Amino acid sequence: AVAPRPPAPPPSGAAALAAARRVLDADPTVSGLGLALYSFRAARGGAKRVAVRLDARASPTGSPSLADVSAFSRAFNAALVDALGEEEAGGVEVEASSPGADRALRLPADLARFAGLPLAVTPEPGSAAATTLGSSPAIVTYEGEGQGGPESATFAVADTRATRGPSGKLSAKQRAARFECAVGELARVALYVDI
């Protein structure tokens, strides 16, 4: 009798990550789309799952189109077959998507990129930034570097439904307010979806 074959090991995260980078950099159907890797996760253990979040560098919100995500998925699945073999790659569940409407920003680099968009800023509890910003998260827009250079940021109150008063407008005090915070005191900064 033939001994049962042991289950295939989980996909190599390093091999899958290398395949994703190769597709973004060199695949003719994807490399010209202006996509970059936002995040990558390969599940360990029994689950064979790879989750790829794509950043569209030319998009004002960084969200790729469905057509772009689909083109990446097709090319990435083919690259996984090349990297892992057809049998192992066939057992891998691939999820490719955008970072989401409320994407977390990478600090301080993403602040200037998303200047002018409403941001949900959550300061570290007990920090000077928590005192400066008040509510958590504060709904603000990035205005530029503070007096401390790239390690500090200046924010203004964002004009959103959540920040407008009963009149439906920002008050003169809100429009004039500026808040300077140390970037290192910000626990999380994400795009704010005004719904």
Side-chain angles (χ1 to χ4, degrees):
V2 176
R5 205 167 134 188
S12 164
L17 177 58
R21 287 183 171 146
R22 216 172 19 259
V23 166
L24 290 169
D25 293 340
D27 186 279
T29 61
V30 176
S31 61
L33 298 176
L35 300 175
L37 203 57
Y38 174 80
S39 69
F40 180 91
R41 174 185 258 157
R44 295 181 180 263
K48 294 182 180 181
R49 185 169 180 268
V50 173
V52 181
R53 302 287 178 261
L54 299 169
D55 182 19
R57 293 177 290 213
S59 167
T61 60
S63 295
S65 70
L66 291 176
D68 291 348
V69 171
S70 180
F72 171 83
S73 294
R74 284 190 301 276
F76 182 55
N77 281 314
L80 279 179
V81 169
D82 291 344
L84 304 174
E86 193 167 333
E87 185 176 333
E88 188 174 348
V92 176
E93 178 187 342
V94 174
E95 178 193 327
S97 67
S98 78
D102 61 344
R103 75 183 279 155
L105 274 59
R106 295 188 174 113
L107 301 175
D110 278 350
L111 286 172
R113 177 180 174 192
F114 295 105
L117 294 179
L119 304 174
V121 178
T122 305
E124 292 288 347
S127 67
T131 303
T132 301
L133 291 172
S135 65
S136 185
I139 310 305
V140 295
T141 56
Y142 175 71
E143 295 266 303
E145 290 180 5
Q147 293 179 357
E151 298 305 314
S152 66
T154 300
F155 298 102
V157 175
D159 187 3
T160 67
R161 279 181 264 217
T163 56
R164 292 180 200 124
S167 69
K169 298 178 182 180
L170 292 180
S171 68
K173 183 178 177 182
Q174 287 175 305
R175 286 193 308 275
R178 296 297 178 269
F179 311 97
E180 184 171 338
C181 304
V183 173
E185 293 182 347
L186 305 179
R188 184 173 195 272
V189 178
L191 293 182
Y192 175 75
V193 181
D194 191 19
I195 2 180

